[in-house]
Amino acid sequence: MKKNTRINLLLLLAVVALAVLPLALGLGDHKEEPFTGADAEAETAITEIDPDYQPWFSPLYEPPSGEVESALFALQAAVGAGVLAYYFGLRRGRRQGEQRAAERAGKSPAPDAAGESTAERA
């Protein structure tokens, strides 16, 4: 098995463990809402410590419901994922274009900073 494949499988296993273990171990069963966000947890802790606390500022936009807030968060995540996918796709396309241009010119591709050529990476 290749080194990269082994690393990818270990990372995937770690992500699955992080998602499944809290559910399997029953973490948060003693709470009314066991897996609330960090903002809600912080607000609860602050009001327990100092009930008269006044925030320094208020949000610019307060969504009308939790569903709208979740939808905006999902939209933000989707836009971020799209930007990252575009960037990495653009890099890969440029690398493949350089490789094809070098092959057409009859030259061997120039090695990159890591010392391996673009042909060796493909």
Side-chain angles (χ1 to χ4, degrees):
M1 183 181 303
K2 287 185 178 180
K3 182 179 178 182
N4 286 341
T5 305
R6 188 176 318 135
I7 290 172
N8 287 341
L9 287 174
L10 287 173
L11 288 173
L12 181 64
L13 181 65
V15 168
V16 169
L18 284 172
V20 172
L21 282 177
L23 298 172
L25 297 176
L27 300 177
D29 283 347
H30 61 284
K31 297 180 181 179
E32 186 177 320
E33 294 183 36
F35 298 106
T36 59
D39 293 344
E41 293 286 332
E43 185 178 345
T44 303
I46 290 170
T47 54
E48 286 177 2
I49 294 169
D50 184 9
D52 298 327
Y53 176 77
Q54 293 296 320
W56 293 358
F57 57 90
S58 61
L60 297 175
Y61 172 70
E62 188 72 34
S65 69
E67 290 83 8
V68 173
E69 186 176 355
S70 293
L72 290 174
F73 181 76
L75 178 65
Q76 177 185 356
V79 168
V83 168
L84 284 174
Y86 174 78
Y87 171 74
F88 287 118
L90 185 67
R91 283 192 53 191
R92 181 179 178 137
R94 284 184 179 169
R95 188 176 352 130
Q96 288 176 348
E98 290 171 359
Q99 180 182 0
R100 289 181 185 141
E103 288 173 358
R104 281 189 212 121
K107 302 182 214 173
S108 65
D112 64 358
E116 66 181 51
S117 70
T118 53
E120 292 171 354
R121 277 187 277 166

